[in-house]
Amino acid sequence: MPTWSNLNLQNSASPMMEQLTFFHDHALMILLMITVLVAYIMTSLLYNPFINRFLLQGQTIEIIWTIFPAITLFFIALPSLRLLYMLDESLDPIITVKTIGHQWYWSYEYSDLITPYEFDTYMIPSNEMNNNSFRLLDVDNRTVLPMLVQIRMLITAADVLHSWTVPALGVKADATPGRLNQTSFLMNRPGIYYGQCSEICGANHSFMPIVIESVNTKTFIKWLYNNMNS
């Protein structure tokens, strides 16, 4: 989880987020190369007393500064399209979880079970927090999911537009009333991953966090059994 002194992306907890991070670094490196090149040319023009007459009106230079940006965009577009298709690819999910956005909390439903298990998650108020909790990020009921398992999230809303987002998993999907959006992810390590509603939905938009707890399969089954029989 990033702090106020961290400007980088969060550490990835899924293969998709790893690929998004690689693409971010790839695009940033290309932008850095372009910036250095343009800065060098502008600096040389300022300190050079001579003028190249073929630079002002010349077909050759116009062809060069048309083809070179096209090639650059090609190297950015190819990995970007590959990532888009990978994000939209529908793999065979082992677990399906439905999440519904409300003003201003989230409700979850494990719908693959014979008896679906449902619960609501509310942000823990500051006066009820423990010393090891994170302000504005922790909830009373964490969403527990198994790691190394393909998980499908069905996302919708009951009232207004919301957005279900967990940056460490590379997941962001709009929660639209009357519509089911789908996203999937696979967590490759245990941990607790935080997210927030990323669509302005009203006065308490900033107070409906998301907490995903990644555990092994045995712990997940035990958690599910205890909560369904409590």
Side-chain angles (χ1 to χ4, degrees), residues 15-221:
M16 281 288 88
M17 188 57 192
E18 290 180 5
Q19 294 298 318
L20 288 169
T21 305
F22 292 153
F23 175 70
H24 170 270
D25 297 341
H26 169 75
L28 203 61
M29 182 57 67
I30 293 177
L31 292 175
L32 182 62
M33 293 168 60
I34 294 173
T35 304
V36 171
L37 178 63
V38 172
Y40 170 75
I41 294 174
M42 292 178 64
T43 305
S44 63
L45 288 174
L46 288 174
Y47 291 97
N48 189 355
F50 303 104
I51 296 176
N52 187 346
R53 63 189 178 93
F54 296 108
L55 185 65
L56 300 178
Q57 293 182 357
Q59 295 295 326
T60 304
I61 191 65
E62 289 184 6
I63 292 173
I64 291 174
W65 68 41
T66 301
I67 294 179
F68 182 73
I71 296 173
T72 304
L73 291 174
F74 181 77
F75 279 101
I76 296 177
L78 273 184
S80 174
L81 291 172
R82 170 179 167 270
L83 253 181
L84 283 174
Y85 280 105
M86 288 176 64
L87 288 169
D88 287 338
E89 186 176 1
S90 181
L91 302 175
D92 293 331
I94 305 299
I95 296 175
T96 298
V97 181
K98 182 179 179 182
T99 176
I100 304 172
H102 303 266
Q103 288 182 315
W104 288 273
Y105 64 96
W106 296 97
S107 60
Y108 295 88
E109 176 185 329
Y110 290 76
S111 51
D112 285 337
L113 309 175
I114 298 176
T115 304
Y117 173 56
E118 304 177 18
F119 61 93
D120 299 330
T121 62
Y122 293 87
M123 186 194 74
I124 301 176
S126 300
N127 57 348
E128 298 178 9
M129 292 176 60
N130 300 322
N131 292 330
N132 58 350
S133 299
F134 293 102
R135 179 179 172 270
L136 300 182
L137 284 178
D138 264 308
V139 296
D140 53 358
N141 291 318
R142 290 175 176 172
T143 307
V144 179
L145 292 169
M147 63 180 182
L148 302 178
V149 168
Q150 192 68 31
I151 298 165
R152 174 173 59 186
M153 295 294 300
L154 300 177
I155 301 162
T156 186
D159 33 49
V160 298
L161 284 175
H162 301 277
S163 184
W164 196 84
T165 308
V166 183
L169 302 178
V171 175
K172 183 179 186 295
D174 287 340
T176 308
R179 176 175 176 177
L180 273 180
N181 287 330
Q182 174 179 302
T183 187
S184 61
F185 56 89
L186 182 146
M187 297 178 289
N188 52 17
R189 60 188 176 90
I192 300 174
Y193 309 113
Y194 296 90
Q196 289 176 306
C197 177
S198 299
E199 187 74 36
I200 296 178
C201 55
N204 290 336
H205 158 69
S206 302
F207 306 106
M208 47 184 302
I210 302 160
V211 181
I212 303 294
E213 186 172 350
S214 173
V215 298
N216 58 50
T217 306
K218 184 177 180 181
T219 305
F220 168 72
I221 295 174

